[in-house]
Amino acid sequence: MTPRTWAAARDRLAFPLVAAIEVRGLERRYSDEVLAVAGIDLEVSEGEIYAFLGPNGAGKTTTVRMLVTLLQPTGGTARVAGFDVVREAPSVRRSIGVALQEAALDPLMTGRELMRLQGTLHGLPSDEGRRRGDALLERVGLSLAADRRVGTYSGGMRRRLDLATALVHDPTVLFLDEPTTGLDPVSRIAIWDEVRRLNDDGTTVFLTTQYLEEADHLADRVGIIDNGKMAAEGTPGELKSQVGIAHLEVVIAAGESAKAGEILERFGVPMPARDGRLMVGLPRGAADVAPIVRALDEAGCAVEALELVQPTLDDVFVEKTGRHLEGAADQQHPEQQPAVEEPVSG
Amino acid sequence: MSAAAAAPPLGARMAGEARVVAALGRRSVRQAFRRPQFLAPIIVFPTLFLAVNTGGAGRAVDLPQFPPVHGFLDFQLAGAMLQSTMLAGVSAAISLALDIQIGFVDRLVAAPIARASFVLGRLVATGVLGLISVLWFLTIGLIFGAHIAAGVAGFVVVLVLVTLNAIAWGTIGAALALNTGSPSVAQGVFPIVFVILFLSSAFFPEGLLLEPAKTIANWNPMSLIADGLRDPIISDLSLDKTLEGLAGIAIVASIGAILCARGVNKKLRSA
């Protein structure tokens, strides 16, 4: 639904729609011992990209499955597009697009057949289903492969097809469960670009991810979940600012460290040196880097290396949970990670 | 409620569900033809079994108490068609279990369609495969000298009974898949089909079976279906036998439908 049609639909409502997704005390218990989601609260505004970040087994997929009506909550309430996920499940299903973690595609069908079937499932007339299916295949770059069986598609092609099927009925809210897990960098960027375009068109996007970079790049707001509980929530900037300021790490030629340390102190908060690197916290961030370099140069301190280190969402995760997000060290090379499936109990 | 989410009127909803069932049925039939291992049990195995049985045990018709038939092939056709449709049910179970395993059923459950539609789509496909099966067996039967004693009317009755039986066994297959979610378990049921058939009048007259097989066959609903199906092939059309066949199919379908409903609810509660 475009912003204009959303607004038109909202205008017809007898009550104001405050959030695209509104979750209060949502809980899913599998047994006395297994509490997969332990009473979370969250709210996603219309037109927002919200990233649900957490390690495997944190409760991300269980939460999504409850929000898309695939799983009944055992406690709390959730409203999606203004509808209760339990009492108004059919209306929720008409309003949402869903691309689940496994890219649930029939390998024996062709891409075009799957798009048409998806159109029929969402009640589109044949002609419109065909037209929208073809347009979406074009949009995700699968026109040439449209008549090939899905079983012959690469992982990236499957994800793009899955995304296209989720869009066939022009949903108001789009749920993407780990949309880029296991993809190569090119495919990941293609998915990110498409998610941004969709969001520009007014679609609210709720995505789960275990990639810090993905949450940081794509999301307007991030919710961090760990052991079924919300550990933190906010914009990436807000969250990072909660755990500190950017700091500068400087390697100075031997014998000049003391003098350089004094200079650095003038610009920020001194931090203990580590591995021969002088460190200083910079309240103004990058704005202080050039003056520091000039001051060091004027004082005759030879700078051998210099790095401005921003707080990361992993720092936030460590701050809130006391441990690193799984795989955080591999964020620069996510394509090397194996596809990970979160257990149902997660 | 947004315009996109407003529930359509009942008539439009029914028409929409019919389109969904037809689309899912088409997909399942296409799936069977694209995965030959699903088609083989429906056509190839029962055909080979029919050929071996007819060729090897043809003189059984000379046994006392054997019902009067034109030939052993006429008698065996019902068994072959029952075997084919029961295996179509097992194939449907494997396909649906695979759909559950790869998450395709989640795609259907997350769509605004009636929960029953994805099961009905599968049943429509099983019915179509049953129709293909009956046409195949009647054709090869006629080519190799079988007769349909009740003529065109008998042909139509056989067509209807076999198709309905395929759908009934489709419900058993769907129930199996929904309750276990495991293609391996569904595949494991394969030999049980033969046990159920051998403990009925599908391949041999009930009166010639030894105890306890005779008593079991007497209670086995497949005997009702086999006798109802065989009747128009070997004798004039009899309403009693046709109704018996329909009753047997209703028993199987009822068991399947109850287990299916249980399976769907289970799947939705604990997915």
Side-chain angles (χ1 to χ4, degrees), chain A residues 1 9 12-13 28 65 70-71 83 91 93-95 100 104-109 113-114 117-118 120-122 124-126 149 162 165, chain B residues 1-8 19-20 23-24 27 30-31 34-35 102-104 106-113 115 268-271:
Chain A
M1 183 179 277
R12 286 195 289 274
L13 296 175
R28 175 67 203 197
R65 291 180 75 86
L70 281 175
L71 187 61
F83 302 103
S91 296
R93 292 184 196 119
R94 274 188 284 275
S95 306
L100 293 173
L105 307 169
D106 179 355
L108 297 176
M109 294 176 81
E113 286 168 353
L114 193 69
L117 176 63
Q118 194 73 15
T120 306
L121 293 177
H122 283 277
L124 298 183
S126 301
R149 289 191 194 174
D162 199 19
T165 61
Chain B
M1 186 185 291
S2 78
R19 277 187 66 218
V20 168
L24 291 174
R27 170 197 170 244
R30 210 184 282 133
Q31 199 181 33
R34 288 180 183 173
R35 199 176 261 155
I102 66 169
F104 194 83
D106 285 342
R107 174 181 295 282
L108 303 179
V109 174
I113 62 171
R115 302 292 133 241
L268 294 180
R269 272 200 312 272
S270 62

Coordinates of all heavy atoms in Angstrom, one line a residue, chain A residues 1 9 12-13 28 65 70-71 83 91 93-95 100 104-109 113-114 117-118 120-122 124-126 149 162 165, chain B residues 1-8 19-20 23-24 27 30-31 34-35 102-104 106-113 115 268-271:
Chain A
M1 N 0.9 -1.2 0.0 CA 0.0 0.0 0.0 C 0.9 1.2 0.0 O 1.8 1.4 0.8 CB -0.9 0.0 1.2 CG -1.9 1.1 1.3 SD -2.9 1.0 2.7 CE -4.2 -0.1 2.2
A9 N -7.0 4.9 3.5 CA -7.6 3.9 4.4 C -7.8 4.3 5.8 O -8.8 4.1 6.4 CB -6.8 2.6 4.3
R12 N -10.6 6.6 6.6 CA -11.9 6.0 6.8 C -12.1 5.3 8.1 O -13.2 4.8 8.4 CB -12.1 4.9 5.6 CG -12.4 5.6 4.3 CD -12.9 4.5 3.3 NE -11.9 3.6 2.9 CZ -11.0 3.8 1.9 NH1 -11.1 4.9 1.2 NH2 -10.1 2.9 1.6
L13 N -11.1 5.2 8.9 CA -11.2 4.5 10.2 C -12.0 5.4 11.2 O -11.9 6.6 11.2 CB -9.8 4.3 10.8 CG -8.9 3.3 9.9 CD1 -7.6 3.2 10.6 CD2 -9.6 1.9 9.9
R28 N 5.4 -16.3 24.5 CA 5.2 -17.6 23.9 C 5.9 -18.6 24.8 O 7.1 -18.6 24.9 CB 5.6 -17.7 22.5 CG 5.5 -19.1 21.9 CD 4.1 -19.5 21.7 NE 4.0 -21.0 21.7 CZ 2.9 -21.7 21.2 NH1 1.9 -21.1 20.8 NH2 2.9 -23.0 21.2
R65 N 6.6 -15.1 14.0 CA 5.6 -16.1 13.7 C 4.3 -15.8 14.5 O 3.2 -16.0 14.0 CB 6.1 -17.5 14.1 CG 7.2 -18.0 13.1 CD 7.6 -19.4 13.5 NE 6.7 -20.4 13.1 CZ 6.6 -21.0 11.9 NH1 7.5 -20.6 10.9 NH2 5.7 -21.9 11.6
L70 N 1.1 -17.1 12.5 CA 1.4 -18.5 12.3 C 1.5 -19.3 13.6 O 1.5 -20.5 13.6 CB 2.8 -18.7 11.6 CG 2.8 -18.5 10.1 CD1 4.2 -18.5 9.6 CD2 2.0 -19.5 9.4
L71 N 1.5 -18.5 14.7 CA 1.7 -19.1 16.0 C 0.9 -18.3 17.0 O 1.0 -17.1 17.0 CB 3.2 -19.1 16.4 CG 3.7 -19.8 17.6 CD1 3.4 -21.3 17.5 CD2 5.2 -19.5 17.7
F83 N -5.0 -4.5 13.6 CA -5.8 -5.7 13.9 C -5.1 -6.6 14.9 O -3.9 -6.8 14.9 CB -6.0 -6.5 12.6 CG -6.7 -5.7 11.6 CD1 -6.0 -5.2 10.5 CD2 -8.1 -5.4 11.6 CE1 -6.6 -4.5 9.5 CE2 -8.7 -4.7 10.7 CZ -8.0 -4.2 9.6
S91 N -7.8 -10.6 9.0 CA -7.5 -9.2 8.5 C -6.1 -8.9 8.6 O -5.5 -8.2 7.7 CB -8.3 -8.2 9.4 OG -9.7 -8.4 9.3
R93 N -3.7 -11.1 8.1 CA -3.1 -11.8 6.9 C -3.4 -11.0 5.6 O -2.5 -11.1 4.7 CB -3.7 -13.2 6.8 CG -3.3 -14.1 7.9 CD -3.8 -15.5 7.7 NE -3.7 -16.2 9.0 CZ -4.7 -16.7 9.7 NH1 -6.0 -16.7 9.2 NH2 -4.6 -17.3 10.8
R94 N -4.5 -10.3 5.5 CA -4.8 -9.6 4.3 C -3.9 -8.3 4.2 O -3.6 -7.8 3.1 CB -6.2 -9.1 4.2 CG -7.1 -10.2 3.6 CD -8.5 -9.7 3.4 NE -9.3 -9.6 4.6 CZ -10.0 -10.6 5.1 NH1 -10.0 -11.8 4.5 NH2 -10.6 -10.5 6.3
S95 N -3.4 -7.9 5.4 CA -2.6 -6.6 5.4 C -1.1 -6.8 5.3 O -0.4 -5.8 5.1 CB -2.9 -5.9 6.8 OG -4.3 -5.8 7.0
L100 N 9.6 -15.6 5.1 CA 10.1 -16.3 6.2 C 11.5 -16.8 6.0 O 12.0 -16.8 4.9 CB 9.2 -17.5 6.6 CG 7.8 -17.1 7.1 CD1 7.0 -18.4 7.3 CD2 7.9 -16.4 8.4
A104 N 10.4 -20.3 1.8 CA 9.5 -21.4 1.6 C 9.0 -21.5 0.2 O 7.8 -21.1 -0.1 CB 8.4 -21.4 2.6
L105 N 9.8 -21.9 -0.7 CA 9.4 -22.0 -2.1 C 9.4 -23.4 -2.6 O 10.3 -24.2 -2.2 CB 10.5 -21.1 -2.9 CG 10.7 -19.7 -2.5 CD1 11.9 -19.1 -3.2 CD2 9.5 -18.8 -2.7
D106 N 8.5 -23.7 -3.4 CA 8.4 -25.1 -4.0 C 9.4 -25.2 -5.1 O 9.3 -24.5 -6.1 CB 7.0 -25.3 -4.5 CG 6.8 -26.7 -5.1 OD1 7.8 -27.4 -5.2 OD2 5.7 -27.0 -5.5
P107 N 10.4 -26.1 -4.9 CA 11.5 -26.1 -6.0 C 11.0 -26.6 -7.3 O 11.6 -26.5 -8.3 CB 12.5 -27.1 -5.3 CG 11.7 -27.9 -4.3 CD 10.6 -27.0 -3.8
L108 N 9.8 -27.3 -7.3 CA 9.3 -27.8 -8.6 C 8.5 -26.8 -9.4 O 8.1 -27.0 -10.5 CB 8.4 -29.0 -8.3 CG 9.1 -30.2 -7.7 CD1 8.1 -31.3 -7.4 CD2 10.2 -30.8 -8.6
M109 N 8.1 -25.7 -8.7 CA 7.4 -24.6 -9.5 C 8.3 -23.7 -10.1 O 9.5 -23.5 -9.7 CB 6.5 -23.9 -8.5 CG 5.4 -24.7 -7.9 SD 4.5 -23.7 -6.7 CE 3.3 -22.8 -7.7
E113 N 5.0 -19.3 -12.0 CA 3.9 -20.0 -11.4 C 3.7 -19.7 -9.9 O 2.5 -19.5 -9.4 CB 4.1 -21.5 -11.5 CG 4.0 -22.1 -12.9 CD 4.6 -23.5 -13.0 OE1 5.2 -24.0 -12.1 OE2 4.4 -24.1 -14.1
L114 N 4.8 -19.5 -9.2 CA 4.7 -19.2 -7.8 C 4.0 -17.8 -7.6 O 3.2 -17.6 -6.7 CB 6.0 -19.3 -7.1 CG 6.0 -19.3 -5.6 CD1 5.5 -20.6 -5.1 CD2 7.4 -19.1 -5.1
L117 N 0.3 -18.1 -8.2 CA -0.3 -18.8 -7.1 C -0.5 -17.8 -5.9 O -1.5 -17.8 -5.3 CB 0.5 -20.0 -6.6 CG -0.1 -20.8 -5.4 CD1 -1.4 -21.4 -5.7 CD2 0.9 -21.9 -5.0
Q118 N 0.6 -17.1 -5.6 CA 0.6 -16.1 -4.5 C -0.5 -15.1 -4.7 O -1.2 -14.7 -3.8 CB 1.9 -15.5 -4.4 CG 2.1 -14.7 -3.0 CD 2.3 -15.7 -1.8 OE1 2.6 -16.9 -2.0 NE2 2.2 -15.1 -0.7
T120 N -3.3 -15.5 -6.4 CA -4.6 -16.2 -6.2 C -4.8 -16.3 -4.7 O -5.9 -16.1 -4.2 CB -4.6 -17.6 -6.8 OG1 -4.2 -17.5 -8.2 CG2 -5.9 -18.3 -6.7
L121 N -3.8 -16.7 -3.9 CA -3.9 -16.8 -2.5 C -4.4 -15.5 -1.8 O -5.1 -15.5 -0.8 CB -2.6 -17.3 -1.8 CG -2.1 -18.6 -2.1 CD1 -0.7 -18.9 -1.5 CD2 -3.0 -19.7 -1.7
H122 N -4.0 -14.4 -2.4 CA -4.4 -13.1 -1.9 C -5.6 -12.5 -2.6 O -5.8 -11.3 -2.5 CB -3.2 -12.2 -1.9 CG -2.2 -12.5 -0.8 ND1 -2.4 -12.0 0.5 CD2 -1.2 -13.3 -0.7 CE1 -1.5 -12.5 1.3 NE2 -0.7 -13.2 0.6
L124 N -6.3 -11.9 -5.8 CA -6.2 -11.0 -6.9 C -6.9 -11.7 -8.1 O -6.7 -12.9 -8.3 CB -4.7 -10.7 -7.3 CG -3.9 -10.0 -6.2 CD1 -2.5 -9.8 -6.8 CD2 -4.5 -8.7 -5.8
P125 N -7.6 -10.9 -8.9 CA -8.1 -11.5 -10.2 C -7.0 -12.0 -11.1 O -5.9 -11.4 -11.0 CB -8.9 -10.3 -10.8 CG -9.1 -9.3 -9.7 CD -8.0 -9.5 -8.7
S126 N -7.3 -13.0 -11.9 CA -6.2 -13.6 -12.7 C -5.3 -12.6 -13.4 O -4.1 -12.6 -13.4 CB -6.8 -14.6 -13.7 OG -7.5 -15.6 -13.0
R149 N 12.5 -23.5 -13.1 CA 12.0 -24.1 -11.8 C 12.9 -23.4 -10.7 O 14.1 -23.2 -10.8 CB 12.2 -25.6 -11.8 CG 11.1 -26.2 -12.6 CD 11.1 -27.7 -12.4 NE 10.4 -28.4 -13.5 CZ 10.2 -29.7 -13.6 NH1 10.8 -30.5 -12.7 NH2 9.6 -30.2 -14.6
D162 N 11.2 -14.8 -3.0 CA 10.4 -14.8 -1.8 C 9.9 -13.4 -1.5 O 8.8 -13.2 -1.1 CB 11.3 -15.4 -0.7 CG 10.5 -15.9 0.5 OD1 9.3 -16.2 0.3 OD2 11.0 -16.0 1.6
T165 N 7.1 -12.5 -3.8 CA 5.9 -13.1 -3.5 C 5.2 -12.4 -2.3 O 4.0 -12.3 -2.3 CB 6.0 -14.6 -3.2 OG1 6.8 -14.7 -2.0 CG2 6.6 -15.4 -4.3
Chain B
M1 N -10.3 -0.5 10.4 CA -9.9 -1.5 9.5 C -9.5 -0.9 8.2 O -10.2 -0.1 7.7 CB -11.0 -2.5 9.3 CG -10.6 -3.7 8.5 SD -12.1 -4.8 8.1 CE -12.4 -5.5 9.7
S2 N -8.4 -1.2 7.6 CA -8.0 -0.6 6.4 C -8.8 -1.3 5.2 O -9.3 -2.3 5.3 CB -6.5 -0.8 6.1 OG -6.2 -2.1 5.7
A3 N -8.8 -0.5 4.1 CA -9.5 -1.0 2.9 C -9.0 -2.3 2.5 O -9.7 -3.3 2.1 CB -9.5 0.0 1.8
A4 N -7.6 -2.5 2.5 CA -7.0 -3.7 2.0 C -7.4 -4.9 2.9 O -7.5 -6.0 2.4 CB -5.5 -3.5 2.1
A5 N -7.7 -4.6 4.2 CA -7.9 -5.7 5.1 C -9.4 -6.1 5.3 O -9.7 -7.0 5.9 CB -7.3 -5.4 6.4
A6 N -10.3 -5.2 4.7 CA -11.7 -5.5 4.9 C -12.1 -6.8 4.3 O -11.7 -7.2 3.2 CB -12.5 -4.4 4.2
A7 N -12.8 -7.6 5.1 CA -13.2 -9.0 4.6 C -14.2 -8.8 3.4 O -15.2 -8.1 3.5 CB -13.8 -9.7 5.7
P8 N -14.0 -9.6 2.3 CA -14.9 -9.5 1.2 C -16.3 -10.1 1.6 O -16.3 -10.9 2.5 CB -14.2 -10.3 0.1 CG -13.1 -11.0 0.8 CD -12.9 -10.4 2.1
R19 N -11.3 -20.7 -6.1 CA -10.1 -20.4 -7.0 C -8.9 -20.9 -6.3 O -8.0 -21.4 -7.0 CB -10.0 -18.9 -7.3 CG -10.9 -18.4 -8.4 CD -10.6 -17.0 -8.7 NE -9.3 -16.8 -9.2 CZ -8.4 -15.8 -8.9 NH1 -8.8 -14.8 -8.1 NH2 -7.3 -15.7 -9.4
V20 N -8.8 -20.7 -5.0 CA -7.6 -21.1 -4.3 C -7.5 -22.6 -4.3 O -6.4 -23.2 -4.6 CB -7.6 -20.6 -2.8 CG1 -6.6 -21.3 -2.0 CG2 -7.4 -19.1 -2.8
A23 N -6.4 -23.7 -7.7 CA -5.0 -23.4 -8.0 C -4.1 -24.3 -7.2 O -3.1 -24.8 -7.8 CB -4.7 -21.9 -7.6
L24 N -4.4 -24.6 -6.0 CA -3.6 -25.5 -5.2 C -3.7 -27.0 -5.8 O -2.7 -27.7 -5.8 CB -4.0 -25.5 -3.7 CG -3.6 -24.2 -3.0 CD1 -4.2 -24.2 -1.6 CD2 -2.1 -24.0 -3.0
R27 N -1.5 -27.1 -8.8 CA -0.1 -27.2 -8.4 C 0.3 -28.6 -7.9 O 1.3 -29.1 -8.3 CB 0.1 -26.2 -7.2 CG 1.5 -26.4 -6.6 CD 1.6 -25.8 -5.2 NE 2.9 -26.3 -4.7 CZ 3.0 -27.0 -3.6 NH1 1.9 -27.4 -2.9 NH2 4.2 -27.4 -3.2
R30 N 0.5 -30.9 -11.0 CA 1.7 -30.6 -11.7 C 3.0 -31.2 -10.9 O 3.9 -31.8 -11.5 CB 1.9 -29.1 -11.8 CG 2.6 -28.6 -13.0 CD 2.7 -27.1 -13.0 NE 1.6 -26.4 -13.3 CZ 1.1 -25.3 -12.6 NH1 1.7 -24.9 -11.5 NH2 0.0 -24.7 -13.0
Q31 N 2.9 -31.1 -9.6 CA 4.0 -31.6 -8.8 C 4.1 -33.1 -9.0 O 5.3 -33.6 -9.1 CB 3.6 -31.3 -7.3 CG 4.7 -31.3 -6.3 CD 4.2 -31.0 -4.9 OE1 3.1 -31.4 -4.6 NE2 5.1 -30.4 -4.1
R34 N 5.8 -33.7 -12.2 CA 7.2 -33.3 -12.2 C 8.1 -34.1 -11.3 O 9.3 -33.9 -11.3 CB 7.3 -31.8 -11.8 CG 6.8 -30.9 -12.9 CD 6.8 -29.4 -12.5 NE 6.2 -28.6 -13.6 CZ 6.0 -27.3 -13.5 NH1 6.4 -26.7 -12.4 NH2 5.4 -26.7 -14.5
R35 N 7.5 -34.9 -10.4 CA 8.3 -35.7 -9.5 C 7.9 -37.2 -9.8 O 6.9 -37.7 -9.2 CB 8.0 -35.3 -8.1 CG 9.0 -35.8 -7.1 CD 8.7 -35.2 -5.7 NE 9.4 -34.0 -5.4 CZ 9.0 -33.1 -4.5 NH1 7.9 -33.3 -3.9 NH2 9.8 -32.1 -4.2
I102 N 9.4 -27.9 4.1 CA 10.1 -26.8 3.5 C 9.5 -25.4 3.9 O 10.0 -24.4 3.5 CB 10.2 -26.9 2.0 CG1 8.8 -26.9 1.3 CG2 11.0 -28.2 1.6 CD1 8.9 -26.7 -0.2
G103 N 8.4 -25.5 4.6 CA 7.8 -24.2 5.0 C 6.7 -23.7 4.1 O 6.1 -22.7 4.3
F104 N 6.4 -24.5 3.0 CA 5.4 -24.0 2.0 C 4.0 -23.9 2.7 O 3.3 -23.0 2.3 CB 5.4 -25.0 0.8 CG 4.7 -24.4 -0.4 CD1 5.3 -23.6 -1.2 CD2 3.3 -24.7 -0.6 CE1 4.6 -23.0 -2.3 CE2 2.6 -24.2 -1.7 CZ 3.3 -23.3 -2.5
D106 N 3.5 -23.0 5.6 CA 3.4 -21.7 6.4 C 3.0 -20.6 5.4 O 2.3 -19.7 5.8 CB 4.8 -21.4 7.0 CG 5.1 -22.3 8.2 OD1 4.2 -22.8 8.8 OD2 6.3 -22.4 8.5
R107 N 3.5 -20.6 4.2 CA 3.1 -19.6 3.2 C 1.6 -19.6 3.0 O 1.0 -18.6 2.9 CB 3.8 -20.0 1.9 CG 3.4 -19.1 0.7 CD 4.1 -19.5 -0.5 NE 5.6 -19.3 -0.4 CZ 6.2 -18.2 -0.6 NH1 5.5 -17.1 -0.9 NH2 7.5 -18.1 -0.5
L108 N 1.0 -20.8 3.0 CA -0.4 -20.9 2.8 C -1.2 -20.5 4.1 O -2.2 -19.8 4.0 CB -0.8 -22.4 2.5 CG -0.1 -23.0 1.2 CD1 -0.6 -24.4 1.0 CD2 -0.4 -22.1 0.0
V109 N -0.6 -20.9 5.2 CA -1.3 -20.5 6.5 C -1.2 -19.0 6.7 O -2.2 -18.4 7.3 CB -0.7 -21.3 7.7 CG1 -1.3 -20.9 9.0 CG2 -0.9 -22.8 7.5
A110 N -0.2 -18.4 6.3 CA 0.0 -16.9 6.5 C -0.8 -16.1 5.4 O -0.9 -14.9 5.5 CB 1.4 -16.6 6.4
A111 N -1.5 -16.8 4.5 CA -2.3 -16.1 3.5 C -3.7 -16.1 4.0 O -4.2 -16.9 4.8 CB -2.2 -16.9 2.1
P112 N -4.5 -15.1 3.5 CA -5.9 -15.0 3.9 C -6.8 -15.9 3.2 O -7.7 -15.6 2.5 CB -6.2 -13.5 3.5 CG -5.3 -13.2 2.4 CD -4.1 -14.0 2.5
I113 N -6.6 -17.2 3.5 CA -7.4 -18.3 2.9 C -7.9 -19.1 4.0 O -7.3 -19.1 5.1 CB -6.7 -19.1 1.9 CG1 -5.5 -19.9 2.5 CG2 -6.2 -18.3 0.7 CD1 -4.9 -20.9 1.6
R115 N -8.4 -22.2 6.3 CA -7.5 -23.3 6.7 C -7.7 -24.6 5.9 O -6.8 -25.3 5.6 CB -7.6 -23.6 8.2 CG -7.3 -22.5 9.1 CD -5.9 -22.0 9.1 NE -5.8 -20.6 8.9 CZ -5.3 -19.9 7.9 NH1 -4.8 -20.5 7.0 NH2 -5.3 -18.6 7.9
L268 N -1.7 -25.5 13.8 CA -1.8 -24.0 14.1 C -1.5 -23.7 15.5 O -1.0 -22.6 15.8 CB -3.3 -23.6 13.8 CG -3.7 -23.7 12.3 CD1 -5.1 -23.3 12.1 CD2 -2.7 -22.8 11.5
R269 N -1.7 -24.7 16.4 CA -1.4 -24.4 17.8 C 0.1 -24.4 18.1 O 0.6 -23.6 18.9 CB -2.0 -25.4 18.7 CG -3.4 -25.1 19.2 CD -3.8 -25.9 20.4 NE -3.5 -27.3 20.3 CZ -4.3 -28.2 19.8 NH1 -5.5 -27.9 19.3 NH2 -4.0 -29.5 19.7
S270 N 0.8 -25.3 17.4 CA 2.2 -25.5 17.8 C 3.2 -25.3 16.7 O 4.3 -25.7 16.8 CB 2.4 -26.9 18.3 OG 2.1 -27.8 17.3
A271 N 2.8 -24.6 15.6 CA 3.7 -24.4 14.5 C 5.0 -23.7 14.9 O 5.0 -22.9 15.7 CB 3.0 -23.6 13.4

